[in-house]
Amino acid sequence: MTTLRRRTFIVGGLAGASAGVLVPRLANAISYPFTLGVASGEPAADGFVIWTRLAPNPLNADGLGGMPNTNTAVDWQVATDERFTSIARTGTFTTTQASAHSVHVTLTGLEPGREYWYRFRTGGHISPVGRALTAPAVGTSPELSMLFASCSHYEEGYFTAYRRMAEEHPDLILHLGDYIYEGAATTTKVREFAPAAEISTLANYRVRHAQYKTDPDLQAAHATAPWLVVWDDHEVENNYANLIRNDTNPAGDFKARRAAAYKAYYEHMPLRSAQAPTAENMLLHRRVRWGSLATFHMLDTRQYRTDQACGDGSKVCPEADNPSRTLTGTSQETWLIDGLRQKLGTWDFLGQQVFFAQRLNSADGARSMDAWDGYTANRTRIQNAWDTNGNKGTVVLTGDVHRSWAANLMQNYGTQNRIIGTELVTTSITSGGDGNAADNSLNPTLNPHVKYFKNLRGYVRTRTTSTQMNVDFRAVDKVTVRDYPVKTVGSYIVEATNPGLQAP
Ligand code: FE
Ligand code: CA
């Protein structure tokens, strides 16, 4: 692998040396800068975003990846074939140190519903090749192969599940949060975080993101298909709410910390410039249409939320039902309800972080205050909006809890009256370490609408047509040992006009 790459560098080097001189070029001044791989995201019918970041020494403590403080020209190519014999677009992006030499190119004017391949070149070095897809045209509803994942703790396991996702060759991948974890390094797990301290500065967030992106399994998953990403808490700090921090370690201004975390997140994700942060604010909720088949409503349940009620945790807490409490913030709630009422496609997928259905943890009614159960009025308003609008094909896609779950969403959880939607919860990629196939935490007495639970690491595979969605919970037996095979541990069908889980 290394030998092949080096040969490619030499060939690329000759080409690079003779390339234009309009913008500063590195002319072999740096070693291989594409150590973080490539990525695509935000598919639309006419384009997508392609991403990379130049980082010859990705773990340098200053967070600048070993790049000189020189604006650097990066050539890019998009082709309709994997061998780049048919080039659809080319261009040059100029990186800056202010953006940690990240590259975000937004492609437009491409054909809908097809595959493309892309790569980058600078200083005589050529990047790996990535595969992207444009969304199908509105008015068409071709089958969609989509995977979703969350919670990738670098220290707690190898990213085998990301590798297996790449091997599935999907059209689209959703990451629903906890892409990185912010904690300090430990020496008791399978590998160790860089930097060693809990991250709270821009340099440290950049190094942590860079460390993640050096993982070859994660790189493979990014290179295989476009991603839609939304964060949860650990991209900043465990269980933070809006500008309210979880604890005071490390000390410092939390607003500045959130700004640093959001900036580093943007720099490392294939997002559009509309998502670029301004100080501690970043507009992450957005709609992505997949033709007339589906609309993805990607939600941000951290940035605008009311603080967790009753001190967080699993609680019996009447305050959780206070109608003034919000997980989405008022503006995002209005935007979501407006989008649901438009019913732009057969399916409405809510890509979001925390458990949506009611889930009683004990007979006394204790519920998780960090999830929608801590913001029940907000949940009811959203559910009622899609229900009264007749959106039968509404499916909530969830991460966060490090276990696979599936549930029917009920118009009234107390009386169990009427199924109005479906929730699919992906387990973690690694968080929590190796699972336990024998674990059964389903409690059908307390939660009759919750139908599935599995404590193994993995992801969810979906295949969606205009009539039904086939769902497979995919899992690996271990993540503390490399290279386990993936298997299907549970399957459901969801029908577009009949909400809820069906046996396959
Ligand atoms: Fe997590
Ligand atoms: Ca989380």
Side-chain angles (χ1 to χ4, degrees), residues 43-296:
D46 69 339
F48 41 75
V49 172
I50 56 174
W51 171 94
T52 191
R53 185 190 151 208
L54 308 180
N57 294 299
L59 302 187
N60 274 10
D62 63 6
L64 298 174
M67 284 293 291
N69 185 10
T70 311
N71 293 358
T72 303
V74 180
D75 301 322
W76 53 266
Q77 289 180 318
V78 175
T80 55
D81 68 309
E82 212 165 345
R83 298 174 158 273
F84 291 85
T85 54
S86 179
I87 305 292
R89 289 282 187 288
T90 61
T92 302
F93 182 94
T94 302
T95 69
T96 64
Q97 188 179 71
S99 298
H101 295 281
S102 59
V103 175
H104 292 83
V105 179
T106 303
L107 278 303
T108 58
L110 301 179
E111 293 170 33
R114 64 157 301 156
E115 286 177 302
Y116 288 92
W117 285 265
Y118 61 93
R119 64 184 177 185
F120 303 91
R121 183 184 67 175
T122 194
H125 303 297
I126 296 179
S127 77
V129 172
R131 168 180 171 264
L133 284 88
T134 47
V138 168
T140 69
S141 295
E143 181 177 305
L144 166 66
S145 150
M146 181 271 287
L147 311 177
F148 65 99
S150 80
C151 294
S152 29
H153 195 294
Y154 186 86
E155 293 191 325
E156 289 180 345
Y158 298 108
F159 289 165
T160 311
Y162 278 142
R163 169 72 57 181
R164 301 295 170 242
M165 289 169 71
E167 291 164 358
E168 305 257 15
H169 220 57
D171 300 329
L172 182 65
I173 290 175
L174 268 54
H175 199 289
L176 301 176
D178 291 355
Y179 182 97
I180 61 161
Y181 281 76
E182 82 284 14
T186 60
T187 53
T188 54
K189 307 237 169 64
V190 299
R191 47 189 185 172
E192 218 171 297
F193 275 142
E198 178 168 335
I199 53 176
S200 62
T201 64
L202 178 57
N204 284 355
Y205 280 108
R206 282 170 167 166
V207 172
R208 186 65 56 86
H209 272 283
Q211 179 183 40
Y212 269 73
K213 283 286 198 309
T214 59
D215 183 280
D217 297 327
L218 177 54
Q219 286 189 11
H222 274 295
T224 202
W227 285 39
L228 290 174
V229 299
V230 280
W231 54 40
D232 192 22
D233 51 342
H234 289 287
E235 284 85 350
V236 181
E237 189 211 21
N238 178 47
N239 281 20
Y240 81 98
N242 197 325
L243 284 168
I244 300 159
R245 66 199 311 161
N246 185 52
D247 61 41
T248 52
N249 183 26
D253 176 19
F254 187 71
K255 204 182 265 193
R257 183 179 183 183
R258 196 175 93 171
Y262 285 7
K263 180 167 167 55
Y265 184 81
Y266 177 77
E267 288 169 352
H268 290 84
M269 293 295 166
L271 289 165
R272 291 177 187 273
S273 56
Q275 272 62 60
T278 304
E280 74 280 6
N281 301 306
M282 181 165 152
L283 178 69
L284 194 59
H285 61 276
R286 61 207 187 278
R287 252 185 289 284
V288 173
R289 296 185 69 176
W290 197 266
S292 293
L293 180 72
T295 307
F296 291 90

Side-chain angles (χ1 to χ4, degrees), residues 417-437:
N417 180 38
R418 214 154 54 76
I419 301 170
I420 60 156
T422 314
E423 180 170 21
L424 306 170
V425 183
T426 183
T427 186
S428 58
I429 293 289
T430 52
S431 305
D434 294 337
N436 172 10

Side-chain angles (χ1 to χ4, degrees), residues 18-47:
S18 61
V21 291
L22 293 174
V23 252
R25 294 192 182 252
L26 288 173
N28 292 330
I30 55 165
S31 56
Y32 184 65
F34 298 110
T35 59
L36 309 184
V38 300
S40 72
E42 306 302 297
D46 69 339

